[in-house]
Amino acid sequence: MKFLETVTAATTRASIAISAGGLVVTTVCLFLQVILRVLTITATWTSEIARYAFMVTVFYGLAAATDKGLHLVITVFSDRLGIRVRAWYAVFAKLTLGVFLAIITYGVLLTANTAAGNNQSFEAFTNVKICYLYYTIFVGLVVSTLNTVLSTLKDIGHLLTGKAGNQ
């Protein structure tokens, strides 16, 4: 149980750090893009890096938010459940999210492999392949799926040992 808590906490902390880094990179690239346009300097690389960094922010942020329970939820149904049933309902919801993320992760991998075979670039005058963006999304989704599964197992362990209030 302690191992699951340690691994989940470490994965969440790493996801937060990577997501925050992606947000900083996105902001800096967009700021540079505005400044360089004012100076009439073309810098297409800023939009491509911002695109990748934004995907990193979104998908690693997804991993961190899952463990901390920060996703938006509609609680009309779960508010009417008892406390013990509500805890198991939350586990079921996380488990469903994990399955959904696993299916999407597989689909993104197939899309990335197809895009790699097509050898397409974002811009006609750059050589950054679209498949790199899909592979970036794939890695973020793998981390999100892994963290969702670890968080779900941790929650199940807490429920089975009676420590559900210590989450």
Side-chain angles (χ1 to χ4, degrees):
M1 189 61 181
K2 191 71 170 167
F3 174 74
L4 274 176
E5 290 175 2
T6 304
V7 172
T8 305
T11 306
T12 300
R13 281 192 306 274
S15 296
I16 290 170
I18 292 169
S19 182
L23 185 61
V24 168
V25 170
T26 301
T27 304
V28 168
C29 284
L30 294 177
F31 177 76
L32 276 174
Q33 196 172 43
V34 169
I35 297 300
L36 293 174
R37 282 186 185 179
V38 168
L39 300 172
T40 64
I41 299 172
T42 303
T44 58
W45 56 270
T46 56
S47 65
E48 292 176 6
I49 291 175
R51 192 177 293 137
Y52 284 100
F54 182 70
M55 290 299 126
V56 166
T57 301
V58 167
F59 289 104
Y60 282 89
L62 170 69
T66 300
D67 183 47
K68 295 190 174 285
L70 298 175
H71 293 291
L72 293 175
V73 294
I74 298 171
T75 61
V76 172
F77 176 71
S78 62
D79 285 346
R80 288 169 173 55
L81 300 173
I83 293 174
R84 187 89 171 143
V85 176
R86 188 180 311 156
W88 281 105
Y89 176 76
V91 166
F92 173 75
K94 272 190 185 177
L95 191 60
T96 305
L97 175 64
V99 170
F100 179 72
L101 286 174
I103 292 168
I104 288 188
T105 302
Y106 178 70
V108 168
L109 178 62
L110 293 178
T111 304
N113 290 336
T114 301
N118 292 340
N119 204 22
Q120 295 173 316
S121 297
F122 276 116
E123 313 281 341
F125 44 87
T126 63
N127 199 21
V128 177
K129 306 294 181 225
I130 292 175
C131 67
Y132 299 153
L133 177 62
Y134 290 126
Y135 285 126
T136 303
I137 294 169
F138 171 73
V139 171
L141 280 171
V142 166
V143 172
S144 294
T145 304
L146 174 68
N147 205 36
T148 301
V149 169
L150 290 173
S151 179
T152 304
L153 292 174
K154 179 187 73 169
D155 291 350
I156 290 172
H158 283 170
L159 286 170
L160 294 177
T161 59
K163 297 180 183 176
N166 298 337
Q167 295 179 30

